[in-house]
């Protein structure tokens, strides 16, 4: 248990969850519990959960489902035995009619018996695999958020859920781009292989200096731009669907699970 | 046995070898025995074979070894039980002091007890896998040879064998380029994943309209150029080393083996 660990030891996944649960962690999770899978959170009323799950099934690259709670349950044991989705993320966003109304550090006060929670894979896992292979990620080196754009690629709709695919872009040398395609192909549960390389205008991206989300990143003339489906897609789709009620994680404040990143490699 | 097959039936690997052996086939093998592995042939005196094998080991992308004969033996049973390297290719090239001196349909008259034969993987195998996946190859559609260039990428030398890597280029849509990287990654025994994408000047290719070998191919503005290590590399390296005596296949007149293309997939 983390209570027994010396304070200089890095927290493991449970340690991060307990810190968030105790109110001692309200910020980003990006460098915490290295090696453990972090996930995007989306919580919807059960009446919409079937439509949303169908949306995820039809759009697995932006919406890779890692776990789903039973209706009314804030637990997903396969992602962490003790895990409590009401308290274990550092910060949440509460949406009503598609409007952001609150950014609390717990959602215990708004939990309902009809809520269904979805945990979706996140690029942290494949970024970890890239860095373990010695590939440098410029936005990480510069301490920025990855650059993201809405594209002209339409998601396959399901019920009220529809909209464009959001992608993240990372620039690489040609050799690293090839290697990055190989490595991320092994991780279909966290966006998988890129959806595009090299010609951003073909997917509706006109201005590389102005991402729709995150921070712009420099691209050298001799680099290849590599685009992955992004977990912002389901959040944008949920906001656009304007459900009466929804909860997501706050940007960067992810659910830290007990799964190892390497366990999501298909080979 | 092919003698029992109706004449309209496509030849299998043994049928191609028997036709070459009988002198009924002296041309290209590219569309023959579909699904079977075809290989590049290089034959050297035993005194040079160790150096050449070391060269292949150090440069596996251009020189993937599928089989090696015992010194003096024209057989490689693991590639075909009946296989006779002196007769089973449609056409050969005989080199003396690095000069092409003869292009016979059999090398029985020049076989020696000190010769060692190398069979190296060839791009036909991964091209077959690409086409089976529905990816169109422009040079195939246009009935041309693939475009090839000497690059600024130096092979790792071994003994007298040294020189630049030769690459072949195929243009694809970005989505097909990603898929082609995934598919060819599964085939390390036949050049494997590409060595470069997108910026030919970075590997010393200045004029895309003038390949060093093969035929030029059009590249559209919205395509990605994908470059693979090429089996012309060992032939160019052998020619440059000017051994007293060497034999290779004639361009396009490959050894057809009993291996299935799919058997070379590592997964």
């Amino acid at each position: 248990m983390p209570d027994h660990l010396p304070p200089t030891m890095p927290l493991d996944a449970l340690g991060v969850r307990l810190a968030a649960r105790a109110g001692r962690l309200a910020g980003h999770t990006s460098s915490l519990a290295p090696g453990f899978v972090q996930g995007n959170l989306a919580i919807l009323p059960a009446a919409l959960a079937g439509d949303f799950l169908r949306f995820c099934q039809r759009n697995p690259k932006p919406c890779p489902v890692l776990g789903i709670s039973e209706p009314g349950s804030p637990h997903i044991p396969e992602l962490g035995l003790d895990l409590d989705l009401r308290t274990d993320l550092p910060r949440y966003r509460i949406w009503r009619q598609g409007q952001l109304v609150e950014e609390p550090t717990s959602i215990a006060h708004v939990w309902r018996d009809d809520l269904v929670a979805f945990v979706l894979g996140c690029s942290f896992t494949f970024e970890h695999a890239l860095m373990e292979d010695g590939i440098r990620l410029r936005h990480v080196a510069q301490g920025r958020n990855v650059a993201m754009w809405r594209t002209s690629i339409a998601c396959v709709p399901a019920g009220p859920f529809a909209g464009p695919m959001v992608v993240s872009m990372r620039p690489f040398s040609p050799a690293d781009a090839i290697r990055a395609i190989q490595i991320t192909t092994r991780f279909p549960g966290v966006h998988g292989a890129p959806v595009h390389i090299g010609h951003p205008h073909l997917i509706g991206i006109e201005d590389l200096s102005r991402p729709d989300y995150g921070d712009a990143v420099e691209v050298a003339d001799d680099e290849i731009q590599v685009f992955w489906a992004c977990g912002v897609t389901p959040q944008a789709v949920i906001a656009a669907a304007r459900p009466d009620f929804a909860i997501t994680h706050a940007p960067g404040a992810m659910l830290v699970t007990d799964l190892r990143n390497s366990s999501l490699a298909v080979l």
Side-chain angles (χ1 to χ4, degrees), chain A:
Chain A
M1 296 289 291
D3 286 346
H4 306 151
L5 296 176
T8 54
M9 200 158 190
L11 293 178
D12 64 4
L14 177 59
V16 174
R17 291 200 299 272
L18 290 176
R21 197 181 300 174
R24 290 183 283 111
L25 174 66
H28 286 198
T29 54
S30 66
S31 63
L32 304 180
F36 288 94
V37 172
Q38 302 198 15
N40 298 291
L41 178 68
I43 299 176
L44 289 164
L48 285 171
D51 287 338
F52 186 68
L53 180 53
R54 207 161 66 255
F55 181 83
C56 293
Q57 189 279 330
R58 290 175 179 169
N59 300 280
K61 284 209 149 185
C63 307
V65 178
L66 295 180
I68 309 175
S69 71
E70 290 296 305
S73 167
H75 306 292
I76 304 182
E78 60 267 36
L79 300 183
L81 270 181
D82 73 298
L83 184 155
D84 188 328
L85 294 167
R86 297 168 298 189
T87 54
D88 288 3
L89 281 75
R91 196 173 288 280
Y92 301 81
R93 284 186 160 180
I94 299 178
W95 307 78
R96 296 188 190 274
Q97 282 81 37
Q99 298 297 311
L100 173 62
V101 296
E102 194 183 351
E103 286 205 332
T105 58
S106 161
I107 52 169
H109 61 298
V110 291
W111 190 259
R112 307 185 334 201
D113 282 349
D114 70 332
L115 295 181
V116 176
F118 295 81
V119 176
L120 307 178
C122 139
S123 59
F124 287 172
T125 298
F126 77 65
E127 289 187 340
H128 181 261
L130 294 173
M131 291 186 288
E132 287 279 300
D133 203 66
I135 296 176
R136 280 173 59 89
L137 298 171
R138 187 161 302 143
H139 72 282
V140 172
Q142 298 182 343
R144 300 183 190 177
N145 286 324
V146 73
M148 294 166 273
W149 286 267
R150 285 183 295 274
T151 67
S152 56
I153 305 169
C155 291
V156 185
F161 301 108
M165 184 187 295
V166 178
V167 298
S168 60
M169 187 277 282
R170 293 162 188 80
F172 297 104
S173 72
D176 280 354
I178 293 168
R179 187 75 184 127
I181 291 170
Q182 295 176 312
I183 290 171
T184 58
T185 294
R186 300 173 59 224
F187 290 92
V190 285
H191 306 310
V195 294
H196 185 81
I197 55 174
H199 296 298
H201 69 278
L202 292 181
I203 56 170
I205 298 174
E206 300 302 338
D207 188 348
L208 276 174
S209 68
R210 288 201 288 184
D212 295 317
Y213 310 91
D215 302 320
V217 65
E218 285 159 39
V219 180
D221 285 345
D222 57 4
E223 290 184 315
I224 302 276
Q225 302 160 47
V226 183
F227 297 85
W228 279 270
C230 175
V232 168
T233 308
Q235 294 202 34
V237 161
I238 289 173
R242 299 182 176 278
D244 286 349
F245 185 67
I247 303 168
T248 66
H249 66 282
M254 317 299 280
L255 173 68
V256 180
T257 77
D258 283 350
L259 300 180
R260 299 271 176 184
N261 283 325
S262 58
S263 74
L264 294 189
V266 292
L267 53 100

CSV table of all heavy atoms in Angstrom, one decimal, chain A residues 171-190:
chain,number,residue,atom,x,y,z
A,171,PRO,N,5.5,14.8,-35.3
A,171,PRO,CA,6.5,14.8,-36.4
A,171,PRO,C,7.7,13.9,-36.1
A,171,PRO,O,8.1,13.9,-35.0
A,171,PRO,CB,6.9,16.3,-36.5
A,171,PRO,CG,6.8,16.8,-35.1
A,171,PRO,CD,5.7,16.0,-34.4
A,172,PHE,N,8.1,13.2,-37.1
A,172,PHE,CA,9.3,12.3,-37.0
A,172,PHE,C,10.2,12.3,-38.2
A,172,PHE,O,9.7,12.7,-39.3
A,172,PHE,CB,8.8,10.8,-36.9
A,172,PHE,CG,7.9,10.5,-35.7
A,172,PHE,CD1,6.5,10.4,-35.8
A,172,PHE,CD2,8.4,10.4,-34.4
A,172,PHE,CE1,5.7,10.1,-34.7
A,172,PHE,CE2,7.6,10.1,-33.3
A,172,PHE,CZ,6.3,10.0,-33.5
A,173,SER,N,11.4,11.9,-38.0
A,173,SER,CA,12.3,11.6,-39.1
A,173,SER,C,11.6,10.4,-39.9
A,173,SER,O,10.8,9.7,-39.3
A,173,SER,CB,13.7,11.1,-38.7
A,173,SER,OG,13.6,9.8,-38.1
A,174,PRO,N,11.9,10.3,-41.2
A,174,PRO,CA,11.3,9.2,-41.9
A,174,PRO,C,11.5,7.8,-41.3
A,174,PRO,O,10.6,7.0,-41.2
A,174,PRO,CB,11.9,9.2,-43.3
A,174,PRO,CG,12.2,10.7,-43.5
A,174,PRO,CD,12.6,11.2,-42.1
A,175,ALA,N,12.7,7.5,-40.8
A,175,ALA,CA,13.0,6.2,-40.2
A,175,ALA,C,12.1,6.1,-38.9
A,175,ALA,O,11.6,5.0,-38.6
A,175,ALA,CB,14.5,6.1,-39.8
A,176,ASP,N,12.0,7.1,-38.1
A,176,ASP,CA,11.2,7.0,-36.9
A,176,ASP,C,9.7,6.9,-37.2
A,176,ASP,O,9.0,6.3,-36.5
A,176,ASP,CB,11.5,8.2,-36.0
A,176,ASP,CG,12.7,8.1,-35.2
A,176,ASP,OD1,13.4,7.0,-35.2
A,176,ASP,OD2,13.1,9.1,-34.5
A,177,ALA,N,9.3,7.5,-38.3
A,177,ALA,CA,7.9,7.4,-38.7
A,177,ALA,C,7.6,6.0,-39.0
A,177,ALA,O,6.5,5.5,-38.6
A,177,ALA,CB,7.6,8.3,-39.9
A,178,ILE,N,8.4,5.3,-39.8
A,178,ILE,CA,8.2,3.9,-40.1
A,178,ILE,C,8.2,3.1,-38.8
A,178,ILE,O,7.3,2.3,-38.6
A,178,ILE,CB,9.4,3.4,-41.0
A,178,ILE,CG1,9.3,4.0,-42.4
A,178,ILE,CG2,9.3,1.8,-41.1
A,178,ILE,CD1,10.5,3.8,-43.3
A,179,ARG,N,9.1,3.3,-37.9
A,179,ARG,CA,9.1,2.6,-36.6
A,179,ARG,C,7.9,2.9,-35.8
A,179,ARG,O,7.3,2.0,-35.2
A,179,ARG,CB,10.4,3.0,-35.9
A,179,ARG,CG,10.7,2.1,-34.6
A,179,ARG,CD,11.1,0.8,-34.9
A,179,ARG,NE,11.3,-0.1,-33.8
A,179,ARG,CZ,10.7,-1.3,-33.6
A,179,ARG,NH1,10.0,-1.8,-34.6
A,179,ARG,NH2,10.9,-2.0,-32.5
A,180,ALA,N,7.5,4.1,-35.8
A,180,ALA,CA,6.3,4.5,-35.0
A,180,ALA,C,5.0,3.8,-35.6
A,180,ALA,O,4.2,3.4,-34.8
A,180,ALA,CB,6.1,6.0,-35.0
A,181,ILE,N,5.0,3.6,-36.9
A,181,ILE,CA,3.8,2.9,-37.4
A,181,ILE,C,3.9,1.4,-37.0
A,181,ILE,O,2.9,0.9,-36.6
A,181,ILE,CB,3.8,3.0,-39.0
A,181,ILE,CG1,3.5,4.4,-39.4
A,181,ILE,CG2,2.8,2.0,-39.6
A,181,ILE,CD1,3.7,4.7,-40.9
A,182,GLN,N,5.1,0.9,-37.0
A,182,GLN,CA,5.2,-0.5,-36.5
A,182,GLN,C,4.8,-0.7,-35.1
A,182,GLN,O,4.0,-1.6,-34.7
A,182,GLN,CB,6.6,-1.0,-36.7
A,182,GLN,CG,7.1,-1.1,-38.2
A,182,GLN,CD,8.5,-1.5,-38.3
A,182,GLN,OE1,9.4,-0.9,-37.7
A,182,GLN,NE2,8.8,-2.4,-39.2
A,183,ILE,N,5.3,0.2,-34.2
A,183,ILE,CA,5.1,0.1,-32.8
A,183,ILE,C,3.6,0.3,-32.5
A,183,ILE,O,3.0,-0.5,-31.7
A,183,ILE,CB,6.0,1.0,-32.0
A,183,ILE,CG1,7.4,0.6,-32.1
A,183,ILE,CG2,5.5,1.1,-30.5
A,183,ILE,CD1,8.4,1.6,-31.6
A,184,THR,N,3.0,1.3,-33.0
A,184,THR,CA,1.6,1.6,-32.6
A,184,THR,C,0.6,0.6,-33.2
A,184,THR,O,-0.5,0.4,-32.7
A,184,THR,CB,1.2,3.0,-33.0
A,184,THR,OG1,1.4,3.3,-34.4
A,184,THR,CG2,2.0,4.0,-32.2
A,185,THR,N,1.0,-0.1,-34.3
A,185,THR,CA,0.2,-1.1,-34.9
A,185,THR,C,0.0,-2.2,-33.8
A,185,THR,O,-1.1,-2.9,-33.8
A,185,THR,CB,0.9,-1.7,-36.1
A,185,THR,OG1,0.9,-0.7,-37.1
A,185,THR,CG2,0.1,-2.9,-36.6
A,186,ARG,N,0.9,-2.4,-32.9
A,186,ARG,CA,0.8,-3.4,-31.9
A,186,ARG,C,-0.2,-3.1,-30.8
A,186,ARG,O,-0.5,-3.9,-30.0
A,186,ARG,CB,2.2,-3.7,-31.2
A,186,ARG,CG,3.2,-4.2,-32.2
A,186,ARG,CD,4.6,-4.2,-31.5
A,186,ARG,NE,4.6,-5.1,-30.4
A,186,ARG,CZ,5.2,-4.8,-29.2
A,186,ARG,NH1,5.8,-3.6,-29.0
A,186,ARG,NH2,5.1,-5.6,-28.2
A,187,PHE,N,-0.7,-1.8,-30.8
A,187,PHE,CA,-1.5,-1.3,-29.7
A,187,PHE,C,-2.9,-0.9,-30.2
A,187,PHE,O,-3.3,0.3,-30.1
A,187,PHE,CB,-0.8,-0.2,-29.0
A,187,PHE,CG,0.4,-0.6,-28.2
A,187,PHE,CD1,1.6,-0.6,-28.7
A,187,PHE,CD2,0.2,-1.1,-26.9
A,187,PHE,CE1,2.7,-1.1,-28.0
A,187,PHE,CE2,1.3,-1.5,-26.1
A,187,PHE,CZ,2.5,-1.5,-26.7
A,188,PRO,N,-3.7,-1.8,-30.8
A,188,PRO,CA,-5.0,-1.3,-31.3
A,188,PRO,C,-5.9,-0.8,-30.2
A,188,PRO,O,-6.9,-0.1,-30.5
A,188,PRO,CB,-5.6,-2.6,-32.0
A,188,PRO,CG,-4.8,-3.7,-31.3
A,188,PRO,CD,-3.5,-3.2,-31.0
A,189,GLY,N,-5.7,-1.2,-29.0
A,189,GLY,CA,-6.6,-0.8,-27.9
A,189,GLY,C,-6.3,0.7,-27.4
A,189,GLY,O,-7.0,1.2,-26.5
A,190,VAL,N,-5.3,1.3,-28.0
A,190,VAL,CA,-5.0,2.7,-27.6
A,190,VAL,C,-4.7,3.5,-28.9
A,190,VAL,O,-3.7,4.1,-29.1
A,190,VAL,CB,-3.8,2.8,-26.7
A,190,VAL,CG1,-4.3,2.4,-25.3
A,190,VAL,CG2,-2.7,1.9,-27.1
